[in-house]
Amino acid sequence: DTAVSQTPKYLVTQMGNDKSIKCEQNLGHDTMYWYKQDSKKFLKIMFSYNNKELIINETVPNRFSPKSPDKAHLNLHINSLELGDSAVYFCASSPPGQNIQYFGAGTRLSVL
Amino acid sequence: AQTVTQSQPEMSVQEAETVTLSCTYDTSESDYYLFWYKQPPSRQMILVIRQEAYKQQNATENRFSVNFQKAAKSFSLKISDSQLGDAAMYFCAYRRAGADGLTFGKGTHLIIQP
């Protein structure tokens, strides 16, 4: 009964490949997010998304795109992977009117 | 743009002692929220405590409390009776009212000495 689940937990791939990370929340939340944590542990927002609005951090390359098939899912697609994309990616969600964000366990992406 | 600064990359404390982690932030907003998250080696992000900017009273959660100084834009975390399980990275985070994501500080690595 995990609240925010991400798959896979680990992802190892070659440069130039395209990959996806899946995120699902069973909390009924309206808003979901993707964060990137780099090798120095610095966490940065990539996207926030609800049914109506996608807010993109302007520093995110357009090789990254969120895809939401429904309210409970926000997947992250990454095209043409680069070495610098290696990081831990966290999905999170929050309910309307509240300011707590619930995080998934993270996906460690390693690009070789 | 909002920024969050944690000036202590690493802190060490003896078990059962008290430790304070510092955080300052910069914003022109009046309505916002502040958080402390804990990230143990398992890498799970765990919410420790949160503070609404409009509330003057400092938030408290068991052994964890904050000292929120709105005018000084300071939001420190005090951990009392430190336990070995408190060892982790601690991140201070800011969020303005609305659906924005969190802006994080660079984190403080807390070491608990037995």
Side-chain angles (χ1 to χ4, degrees):
Chain A
D1 57 347
T2 304
V4 182
S5 60
Q6 294 179 230
T7 53
K9 285 190 165 45
Y10 299 93
L11 182 55
V12 181
T13 188
Q14 299 288 330
M15 250 187 349
N17 284 351
D18 302 337
K19 289 292 178 186
S20 295
I21 304 172
K22 294 185 177 180
C23 179
E24 176 183 3
Q25 52 95 4
N26 62 3
L27 299 166
H29 291 172
D30 283 341
T31 307
M32 297 181 73
Y33 310 83
W34 278 104
Y35 291 85
K36 178 181 179 180
Q37 185 173 39
D38 63 23
S39 59
K40 296 183 179 179
K41 304 280 191 185
F42 185 51
L43 276 149
K44 196 165 185 182
I45 182 73
M46 299 178 71
F47 304 101
S48 61
Y49 182 81
N50 61 23
N51 286 337
K52 302 169 188 171
E53 188 177 14
L54 172 66
I55 301 173
I56 303 171
N57 184 320
E58 65 275 9
T59 66
V60 175
N62 57 16
R63 298 181 294 103
F64 290 78
S65 57
K67 304 267 191 236
S68 181
D70 55 59
K71 194 171 122 171
H73 295 83
L74 184 66
N75 304 324
L76 183 64
H77 294 264
I78 316 169
N79 295 326
S80 302
L81 277 155
E82 300 177 358
L83 293 175
D85 298 333
S86 295
V88 179
Y89 292 84
F90 285 95
C91 178
S93 71
S94 66
Q98 291 197 30
N99 287 281
I100 298 175
Q101 294 190 12
Y102 298 85
F103 283 78
T107 296
R108 181 176 293 281
L109 171 65
S110 298
V111 182
L112 306 178
Chain B
Q2 297 86 9
T3 58
V4 177
T5 302
Q6 293 180 248
S7 59
Q8 305 152 316
E10 187 172 280
M11 291 282 285
S12 181
V13 64
Q14 292 287 128
E15 198 176 358
E17 297 289 302
T18 295
V19 64
T20 299
L21 308 184
S22 302
C23 173
T24 58
Y25 59 94
D26 187 23
T27 183
S28 57
E29 304 286 337
S30 58
D31 191 11
Y32 55 87
Y33 303 83
L34 297 163
F35 307 85
W36 279 98
Y37 278 87
K38 170 185 176 181
Q39 186 179 39
S42 67
R43 82 169 180 239
Q44 179 70 51
M45 293 293 289
I46 302 165
L47 178 66
V48 175
I49 200 165
R50 67 169 171 162
Q51 175 81 43
E52 292 88 347
Y54 62 83
K55 289 188 178 178
Q56 291 187 337
Q57 186 171 7
N58 289 325
T60 300
E61 289 286 344
N62 300 315
R63 298 182 294 107
F64 298 87
S65 61
V66 298
N67 183 3
F68 174 47
Q69 302 288 329
K70 190 172 183 179
K73 295 181 182 174
S74 171
F75 183 61
S76 61
L77 174 70
K78 185 171 87 171
I79 305 174
S80 304
D81 185 26
S82 298
Q83 299 176 1
L84 294 177
D86 295 335
M89 283 291 289
Y90 285 81
F91 293 95
C92 179
Y94 164 98
R95 181 188 187 190
R96 71 181 177 100
D100 285 3
L102 296 165
T103 299
F104 285 92
K106 292 189 175 181
T108 296
H109 180 212
L110 179 63
I111 298 167
I112 310 293
Q113 305 277 6

